Amino acid sequence: MPSAAPFSEKIDQALSAARPAVLEMARFIHAHPELSFEEFQAAAAITEVLENAGFDVERGTGGLDTAFSATLGSGDLVVAICVEYDCLPEVGHACGHNLIAGSTVGAALALAPFVDELGITLKAIGTPAEEHGGGKSLLLDAGAFDGVGLSLMAHPGPEGRTANPLGTSSQAVGRFRATFTGQAAHAAAMPHRGINAADGAVLSQVAIGLLRQQLPDDHRVALFVREAGVATNIIPDHAVVDFECRAFTLPEYESLVSRVQNCFEGAALATGTDLSIEDIEPLYEPLFQDPQLSAHWSEAFGSRGHDVTPAKDSSGGGSTDMGNISQVIPSIHPMFSIPGASSPIHSAGFTAAANTPQAYEAMFDAAYAMASTVAAAASDPEQKARFTAAAYHPVTTEAIA
């Protein structure tokens, strides 16, 4: 298999030179967490680093205020490195997106000195709203990935897992809002005149709880009641439940959504309420890890002393809008461990773990491995031809006509 060995020293040197700026940027993002579509400070900090390194930066890519596209080089093979930087409510960077930003920007800067030698057009695409909002899906639809032949990023996680992406995946996830509408009435004087929308919310939760016993182990349903009444002496006429469904294949996902929606419809029928269900975010599709890119990543990341043994459980769990990219562009989205991190992601403990010296060392190792992956793929004529030919060109109604 072709290797990035001829470029290893160049990558190391470029990454070492970029290290102070990247580390300062990643720490700044961790200290200033911003929610989906509100990542103005993060986007500004990242684009400043890229612009200072000679990238041509477009801000507001795809009509998203906090998205960007930074480009360097003019080669036939277009490489997209996906940069994430949004946080979670209350727990901040509990998914380590500060490390994702640092590793992806680090990879871009490590490749910058020899994009012409590799014959690539290098893009660092700022993809907001991964946690909620599906920024990559929106940017894909807006044309930000048109012409891209390969794409990659890496995601941190707790200690104790292999970083080998080969054969691993993620779940499709769709997020919805169910609204029950009833009739308000005085809860003591005339409760019989009311139609209780909150009862619809409660019954739907009970029905879904019972449904879980019959679901496959790798299916997931989660929900919370967003609204269900304002006072004890008023029968609630309005209740809102946000819910999500996850499965590893799209047919399984669609079947799960249908079964869960039946729970809501049954609750509405039982309580006499009206029900509406709407999509509130783009669908996140399952993740497909490209075998050749996976092998390059594992070779490079393993050379830094990390565990890259084959994954025992290929399911992985969780969801990412990188899945949408991987369905149409050869991609990888490996997970890498933070040494000493024992808290689960999406917890306050992981927020702290994502801001340690060990976390930032792993971040730079991931940057090296991503840059090496691109160098290995682009320096082999056969693979380069394959990825160039795989460039994403969406089918449009005009093209069909």
Side-chain angles (χ1 to χ4, degrees), residues 116-156:
D116 293 335
E117 185 178 352
L118 289 170
I120 64 173
T121 298
L122 180 62
K123 289 181 175 287
I125 300 180
T127 60
E130 189 276 336
E131 294 295 351
H132 286 281
K136 292 183 192 63
S137 176
L138 299 176
L139 288 170
L140 191 66
D141 291 343
F145 288 86
D146 291 2
V148 172
L150 72 86
S151 184
L152 70 168
M153 59 170 290
H155 196 299

Side-chain angles (χ1 to χ4, degrees), residues 119-372:
I120 64 173
T121 298
L122 180 62
K123 289 181 175 287
I125 300 180
T127 60
E130 189 276 336
E131 294 295 351
H132 286 281
K136 292 183 192 63
S137 176
L138 299 176
L139 288 170
L140 191 66
D141 291 343
F145 288 86
D146 291 2
V148 172
L150 72 86
S151 184
L152 70 168
M153 59 170 290
H155 196 299
E159 188 174 47
R161 63 179 301 155
T162 177
N164 191 329
L166 186 61
T168 64
S169 185
S170 67
Q171 294 160 311
V173 63
R175 295 182 171 114
F176 307 89
R177 179 161 293 158
T179 302
F180 294 92
T181 303
Q183 173 61 54
H186 195 293
M190 50 187 69
H192 57 287
R193 298 285 299 275
I195 300 175
N196 196 321
D199 288 349
V202 170
L203 280 180
S204 64
Q205 291 182 85
V206 172
I208 291 168
L210 294 172
L211 173 66
R212 285 192 175 100
Q213 183 182 7
Q214 280 74 49
L215 295 180
D217 290 343
D218 61 0
H219 287 36
R220 296 289 184 269
V221 183
L223 58 81
F224 75 98
V225 178
R226 176 173 290 274
E227 182 181 350
V230 294
T232 57
N233 61 346
I234 304 172
I235 299 291
D237 64 352
H238 186 75
V240 179
V241 180
D242 284 3
F243 68 98
E244 64 178 38
C245 298
R246 301 183 193 237
F248 278 99
T249 70
L250 288 177
E252 289 176 320
Y253 162 79
E254 290 164 358
S255 174
L256 176 61
V257 170
S258 177
R259 297 177 73 181
V260 171
Q261 288 183 345
N262 285 342
C263 294
F264 284 97
E265 290 169 3
L269 178 63
T271 56
T273 52
D274 294 326
L275 172 69
S276 66
I277 298 177
E278 60 178 327
D279 298 351
I280 56 175
E281 293 186 22
L283 170 66
Y284 287 29
E285 298 185 46
L287 177 68
F288 177 73
Q289 311 271 22
D290 182 83
Q292 286 183 324
L293 296 177
S294 295
H296 291 317
W297 157 274
S298 293
E299 180 186 25
F301 201 58
S303 74
R304 298 304 231 212
H306 296 276
D307 179 12
V308 290
T309 55
K312 295 179 181 178
D313 179 6
S314 63
S315 60
S319 305
T320 171
D321 56 2
M322 189 67 182
N324 300 54
I325 305 299
S326 75
Q327 292 294 326
V328 294
I329 298 170
S331 303
I332 53 169
H333 178 282
M335 298 287 291
F336 63 91
S337 292
I338 297 174
S342 58
S343 298
I345 59 173
H346 291 206
S347 72
F350 195 80
T351 304
N355 192 40
T356 60
Q358 301 95 305
Y360 292 119
E361 286 305 315
M363 176 187 80
F364 283 112
D365 287 348
Y368 170 84
M370 280 187 279
S372 297

Side-chain angles (χ1 to χ4, degrees), residues 78-143:
V78 182
V79 175
I81 301 177
C82 292
V83 189
E84 290 180 9
Y85 35 91
D86 62 319
C87 79
L88 289 155
E90 298 185 0
V91 289
H93 280 291
C95 209
H97 288 195
N98 62 309
L99 302 176
I100 296 176
S103 62
T104 49
V105 171
L109 298 187
L111 287 166
F114 48 99
V115 291
D116 293 335
E117 185 178 352
L118 289 170
I120 64 173
T121 298
L122 180 62
K123 289 181 175 287
I125 300 180
T127 60
E130 189 276 336
E131 294 295 351
H132 286 281
K136 292 183 192 63
S137 176
L138 299 176
L139 288 170
L140 191 66
D141 291 343

